[in-house]
Amino acid sequence: MDIQGIDLSIIWSVLIAFGIMMYVILDGFDLGLGILFPFISDSEERDVMMNTVAPVWDGNETWIVFGAAAMFGAFPLAYSLIFEALYLPLIFVLAGLILRGVAFEFRFKAEPEQRHIWDKAFIGGSVLATFFQGVALGTYVSGIPVVDRQFAGGAFDWFSPFPLFCGVGLVLTYALLGSTWLLIKTEGMLEARMRHFSRPLAYLLAWVIVITCGWTAFIHKDIAHRWFHGSHWLLTGGITVLAVIALYALQKSLRQRHSHQPFISTLGLVFLGYAGLVLSVWPNIVPPSIDLWEAASPTTSQLFALMGTLLILPVILMYTLWGYHVFRGKVKPGDAYH
């Protein structure tokens, strides 16, 4: 949709991609803490882990709401097709987020002898939400069958090896985000454990990325063609080189006991993976057959929603930045926000 040379569909695709990326970064390390919980048995250290995100965890989820609402307003066809195809995985994601949120609040109020119940709920909710986010992503990349602008697949299309493998991959990704986040926010034995966990997690994630890319190229010839067709091979090569550099920087910073650099390097890996996803499907918003402009709402609808978004988005950004600024620094045993 063009208005005096401005393509509103492109603008909306960038806004949606930004919102989803913010969610992956912010709620990623948040969910990663729950994934790491089984490896930390000390109750006081678990308290510290949860207190590193207690002031901000609910705000982190604002971004997925923003992304979904933006898609509903700007690309209603894509919204209906994607959510119908991913109905069950997204229900499991929602169930995991609800379970995790309830466990987060109730754990701090439970009697010590009952706290293990909410610990298990926190772990289960975090793993469930993360795994099925990865399953949804793998199903999306695999393609959503569409006939006459209607979803033509089945309710269990997601239940296949590639999406399930992507689910495992995202669990590892969020675990690495969580462990490197704790390097910034904790000290002592907990920080040492997270540094110990981060190195093998980084290598495992690197193998997962290699396998996922090879598997994608093997089963989706159109994506492989897009990676290496024309000038796209330069982008593909650039992303690959930068990913290797980010992995090297991550391992080097872990050996040198940096606090912030491992998390920054992990964010770089996540961002490059996200860039690779965009390169794989662009300009389709419902791969492999529905592009941005076919799925777009009328120009007046996009423009009206954009005016509201340009007012709300800076507020969300400022709130997020201010929250992390206020609660910066290390979290020590005994610190609490409940």
Side-chain angles (χ1 to χ4, degrees):
M1 304 295 178
D2 294 310
I3 296 181
Q4 296 181 346
I6 300 174
D7 194 324
L8 294 178
S9 293
I10 296 291
I11 293 174
W12 272 111
S13 68
V14 171
L15 289 173
I16 293 168
F18 174 75
I20 295 174
M21 185 67 206
M22 288 293 290
Y23 172 78
V24 169
I25 291 173
L26 298 179
D27 212 37
F29 66 77
D30 195 336
L31 287 163
L33 300 188
I35 297 168
L36 294 167
F37 239 49
F39 304 99
I40 303 297
S41 58
D42 184 78
S43 178
E44 189 175 70
E45 289 186 342
R46 285 184 168 187
D47 288 345
V48 171
M49 290 172 69
M50 297 190 81
N51 281 324
T52 65
V53 294
V56 296
W57 73 272
D58 46 355
N60 292 343
E61 295 177 358
T62 303
W63 292 100
I64 193 63
V65 177
F66 169 79
M71 181 174 288
F72 177 76
F75 304 104
L77 177 61
Y79 181 92
S80 65
L81 291 171
I82 291 171
F83 276 74
E84 185 175 0
L86 303 178
Y87 182 77
L88 283 175
L90 294 179
I91 286 293
F92 289 134
V93 170
L94 183 59
L97 292 177
I98 292 172
L99 179 61
R100 170 177 163 272
V102 171
F104 200 107
E105 296 297 334
F106 276 73
R107 181 183 182 276
F108 286 99
K109 298 172 175 63
E111 297 296 329
E113 61 272 14
Q114 296 177 333
R115 187 167 291 183
H116 71 95
I117 298 173
W118 299 110
D119 283 349
K120 292 180 177 65
F122 184 65
I123 294 166
S126 299
V127 173
L128 184 68
T130 302
F131 177 75
F132 278 100
Q133 284 179 24
V135 169
L137 175 62
T139 306
Y140 177 81
V141 172
S142 295
I144 297 173
V146 178
V147 176
D148 296 330
R149 298 168 67 89
Q150 299 291 324
F151 174 58
F156 292 94
D157 286 356
W158 55 271
F159 194 71
S160 60
F162 181 74
L164 295 176
F165 182 78
C166 290
V168 174
L170 196 64
V171 169
L172 289 173
T173 303
Y174 283 5
L176 182 59
L177 279 170
S179 65
T180 53
W181 164 257
L182 289 174
L183 296 180
I184 299 174
K185 299 296 291 184
T186 64
E187 55 189 13
M189 287 301 298
L190 182 56
E191 180 187 4
R193 287 192 183 93
M194 290 303 111
R195 197 173 300 278
H196 175 73
F197 290 157
S198 295
R199 295 190 68 182
L201 280 172
Y203 284 123
L204 282 172
L205 180 59
W207 277 109
V208 165
I209 292 172
V210 170
I211 293 170
T212 303
C213 291
W215 197 342
T216 302
F218 179 73
I219 63 177
H220 301 294
K221 303 302 183 184
D222 56 329
I223 293 179
H225 178 74
R226 188 175 292 115
W227 285 351
F228 302 109
H229 179 70
S231 61
H232 282 186
W233 71 269
L234 290 173
L235 291 174
T236 304
I239 290 172
T240 303
V241 170
L242 290 175
V244 172
I245 293 172
L247 179 63
Y248 172 78
L250 171 58
Q251 294 291 355
K252 181 179 179 181
S253 61
L254 287 171
R255 289 194 300 269
Q256 295 179 346
R257 305 185 67 80
H258 288 289
S259 59
H260 289 67
Q261 184 59 46
F263 184 67
I264 294 171
S265 297
T266 304
L267 290 183
L269 277 173
V270 172
F271 175 78
L272 291 167
Y274 195 64
L277 170 64
V278 173
L279 178 63
S280 299
V281 301
W282 181 267
N284 294 324
I285 193 170
V286 183
S289 57
I290 306 293
D291 64 28
L292 296 173
W293 301 276
E294 186 177 354
S297 60
T299 303
T300 51
S301 298
Q302 286 192 336
L303 185 59
F304 177 77
L306 183 62
M307 290 188 291
T309 300
L310 293 178
L311 293 175
I312 296 298
L313 187 58
V315 175
I316 300 175
L317 279 170
M318 286 188 291
Y319 168 81
T320 301
L321 292 172
W322 179 249
Y324 280 91
H325 173 75
V326 169
F327 294 101
R328 66 192 182 278
K330 299 279 187 178
V331 176
K332 300 177 176 60
D335 292 345
Y337 302 104
H338 282 70

